[in-house]
Amino acid sequence: MKYIDEYRQIEAVQQFIGLIHEVAGSRLMTFMEVCGTHTMAIARSGIRQLLPETLSLISGPGCPVCVTPNRLIDRAVALSRRRDVLLATFGDMMKVPGSTSSLDREHAAGRDVRVVASTLEALELARQNPSKNVVFIGVGFETTAPTVAASILEAENQGIDNYKVLSAHKVMPPAMRALCAGELNLDGFLCPGHVSTIIGSKPYVFLAREFQMPCVIAGFEPLDIVQAVFMLARQVRQDTPSVEIQYTRAVRPEGNPQALKIVDRVFEPCESEWRGIGIIPESGLRIRDVFAGRDAESISVDVEPFRETRGCLCGRVLQGLAVPPDCPLFGKACTPDEPIGPCMVSSEGSCAAYYKYQWQPA
Amino acid sequence: MCIAVPMKIVRIQGDRGLVEIGTTEREVGLQLVPDVQEGDYVIVHAGFAIQVLDEKEALETLALFKEMENLD
Ligand code: SF4
C-alpha cells in the first residue's frame, strides 16, 4: 500500500541499525517516546532487540486514556447514572477502572453509554435524542482536541443544544517539561508524530534550548523509527540538541494552522492532572466561557470520593521510572483480559504493549 | 485511538470526504484540512482527516532510504 510498504524495507532498516551502532558507540543513551502509537509500533516491530544494549527506548505518558486520572472517570460514571444523560465515548475508555466502577460496568447495569468512533457520531446521537443531554468524553491529546472542537462548532452552527463535552484534553509539551525537570535521566525525546501534525515543531524548541534535550519528530513505520533513533543518537554524539523532523511527509514546522485555529476558538489552556505525574500547569484544555453551555462540568453530579487503584504501578510506568514487569501484578493479576490498571486496559498502554509483544511467561 | 495509516480521499462532498483503505471505504470529516483534494492521501484520526501527506517530502525520504541500501 502506498505510504506504508516503502517504509518497511528490511534492508534499509538494517542499514540504519548498523549506523545507530556506529554513532552510538558504547555511550549510554536513553530515549523516551511520548506517544502511545509509538509504544505499540516499537513493541510490534521488535526494533528494541536490534538496538545496542547501551541504548534504551522507554515509554512515557503517551497514552491518553492512561494519563486520565480516576477523578475524571468517576465523574463520567456519575454522569452516566443520570437518567437525562446519554454518555458517548471512544471505546478504549470503557474498561478503564475508576475508583469503584467503570463505564463498562455502568453500561452493563443499564446506563445509556454508547461507544462512538468519532465526535461526528456523538453529534448525530445528540440529534437523534433531543430529550437527553449527550455528553461526549473528550480524552486525548492535540490530535483529538481539534476533532472535538470541530464538533462543538458544528453543534453551534446546527443549533444542537443538547450536545456537551466533558473535556479532559491534554497537551504534550508541558508534560515533557515536567519530565525533564524530574528525576529521570533522559538523552532525548522521540516526539509524537500525529500530535505534531497539528502543533508542528516549534512547541518543542524549549526542550532543546532550556534542557539541551535532543528531539526528533518521528513517523510510525519501522524505517521511520530507526531513522529517528539514528538522528537522536547523532544529536547526542555531536552535542547539537535541536528539534528535527523525521516524519516530513506529514509534519510541517507550522503544524496544521486550521486545526490550531479551531482549537483556540473553543478551548483555552488550564492546569491538568496527569495520572502518576500530578498537576501540570497549562497542560490541559478547558472549554472557553463563550461556549459554557457545551461544558459538561456544568451538569451537577455527586462524584464519589477518589481512590487510587491499589498495587498498580501505572503512575511510575507513565513517567518512565518503571517498566511493566516491575509491577508485581503484571501478567498475573493484571492481564489484557482482566486489567487492573489503565496501562493494561488501553491498547496503547505500555503494559498492554509489553504483554502482547515482548513478554514470555516463565 | 490513532490510526497511523494514510488513506486516500476518493470523493469530497462539502466538509465530508470518502476515504479508501484497502478495499473498504469510510466517511471522514474534512473540517481540519480545508485545502484537501480528491486523490490526496490524508492521516485520519478519530473520524477526521488531520493532515494531508506531502508527496514531495515522502519521495525525498524514500530516495534517502534507497541511497542507504546502495551504500554497501
Ligand atoms: S501491570 Fe497492571 S497493575 Fe501493573 S502497572 Fe500495569 S496496568 Fe497497573
Side-chain angles (χ1 to χ4, degrees):
Chain A
M1 262 187 291
K2 187 165 172 183
Y3 290 115
I4 299 180
D5 298 336
E6 315 92 284
Y7 300 93
R8 296 188 176 169
Q9 301 164 46
I10 187 78
E11 298 79 15
V13 170
Q14 280 161 348
Q15 289 281 355
F16 270 117
I17 295 283
L19 282 179
I20 292 168
H21 279 265
E22 243 169 69
V23 69
S26 56
R27 174 142 169 196
L28 288 178
M29 296 185 191
T30 304
F31 301 138
M32 176 182 266
E33 92 269 355
V34 286
C35 164
T37 312
H38 274 147
T39 301
M40 287 312 280
I42 291 168
R44 191 169 46 219
S45 68
I47 286 169
R48 238 187 223 107
Q49 288 78 347
L50 302 174
L51 294 172
E53 270 173 30
T54 45
L55 195 160
S56 3
L57 289 183
I58 60 171
S59 308
C63 154
V65 170
C66 305
V67 295
T68 300
N70 279 4
R71 233 180 291 277
L72 186 277
I73 294 148
D74 295 343
R75 175 166 285 272
V77 162
L79 279 167
S80 78
R81 290 175 179 164
R82 280 184 65 128
R83 280 178 194 284
D84 61 346
V85 166
L86 186 166
L87 212 60
T89 176
F90 291 141
D92 47 4
M93 283 298 287
M94 289 296 283
K95 284 200 159 61
V96 183
S99 294
T100 58
S101 184
S102 68
L103 292 176
D104 209 32
R105 272 204 225 163
E106 296 302 316
H107 179 248
R111 324 283 183 208
D112 203 349
V113 182
R114 316 261 186 112
V115 171
V116 293
S118 79
T119 52
L120 296 176
E121 279 180 26
L123 200 55
E124 191 50 41
L125 283 174
R127 208 191 316 263
Q128 290 164 3
N129 296 275
S131 64
K132 290 206 172 181
N133 275 318
V134 171
V135 176
F136 177 76
I137 308 176
V139 165
F141 296 123
E142 289 94 327
T143 14
T144 311
T147 75
V148 176
S151 73
I152 287 179
L153 294 179
E154 192 148 325
E156 289 286 310
N157 281 340
Q158 300 181 10
I160 306 174
D161 295 334
N162 61 327
Y163 178 69
K164 324 253 165 183
V165 170
L166 182 63
S167 175
H169 292 292
K170 297 202 179 337
V171 293
M172 264 296 166
M176 294 164 87
R177 172 187 288 279
L179 287 168
C180 285
E183 47 182 302
L184 205 63
N185 240 333
L186 274 184
D187 299 289
F189 279 115
L190 206 62
C191 297
H194 289 143
V195 160
S196 307
T197 61
I198 306 292
I199 67 174
S201 56
K202 295 197 188 90
Y204 305 107
V205 167
F206 78 92
L207 292 165
R209 291 230 176 106
E210 277 177 52
F211 298 96
Q212 284 71 51
M213 192 63 78
C215 293
V216 174
I217 298 169
F220 299 92
E221 295 300 335
L223 263 173
D224 291 321
I225 292 165
V226 286
Q227 185 181 19
V229 170
F230 165 71
M231 290 161 83
L232 279 173
R234 189 174 56 189
Q235 283 194 35
V236 172
R237 282 319 286 245
Q238 298 177 347
D239 198 16
T240 51
S242 61
V243 182
E244 289 182 279
I245 305 175
Q246 178 278 330
Y247 195 29
T248 50
R249 61 192 182 281
V251 176
R252 335 252 189 274
E254 71 280 12
N256 178 336
Q258 169 76 359
L260 290 170
K261 197 169 87 193
I262 291 179
V263 169
D264 185 56
R265 250 186 89 189
V266 175
F267 294 112
E268 64 188 357
C270 65
E271 64 172 30
S272 182
E273 182 186 352
W274 296 59
R275 186 188 298 272
I277 304 179
I279 289 178
I280 305 176
E282 307 272 292
S283 71
L285 293 173
R286 66 179 288 276
I287 296 173
R288 287 188 187 274
D289 287 343
V290 275
F291 297 109
R294 301 290 170 188
D295 195 341
E297 294 283 351
S298 64
I299 302 175
S300 78
V301 277
D302 283 330
V303 182
E304 65 188 298
F306 156 84
R307 233 175 43 196
E308 213 39 274
T309 314
R310 282 243 302 281
C312 173
L313 276 193
C314 277
R316 292 183 65 76
V317 170
L318 289 165
Q319 295 175 79
L321 297 172
V323 288
D326 293 340
C327 174
L329 306 181
F330 178 80
K332 299 188 183 97
C334 184
T335 63
D337 286 335
E338 285 190 50
I340 288 177
C343 297
M344 187 66 91
V345 176
S346 168
S347 60
E348 294 178 4
S350 298
C351 296
Y354 206 97
Y355 187 92
K356 190 159 177 207
Y357 295 110
Q358 266 172 278
W359 184 60
Q360 261 110 39
Chain B
M1 190 178 265
C2 197
I3 309 170
V5 175
M7 303 188 190
K8 186 177 173 181
I9 299 268
V10 286
R11 213 168 36 253
I12 295 177
Q13 224 166 27
D15 55 15
R16 298 284 198 277
L18 211 58
V19 292
E20 183 185 84
I21 165 77
T23 53
T24 57
E25 288 185 345
R26 283 176 39 185
E27 198 184 63
V28 296
L30 301 179
Q31 287 88 337
L32 309 175
V33 285
D35 301 327
V36 73
Q37 288 175 5
E38 289 178 4
D40 282 347
Y41 279 75
V42 291
I43 306 257
V44 172
H45 174 78
F48 285 78
I50 58 167
Q51 188 60 281
V52 181
L53 287 167
D54 185 326
E55 174 129 41
K56 198 173 131 267
E57 290 289 350
L59 290 174
E60 273 173 31
T61 308
L62 291 178
L64 185 94
F65 294 159
K66 264 252 115 43
E67 231 171 81
M68 305 248 341
E69 277 173 55
N70 296 334
L71 276 182
D72 49 9

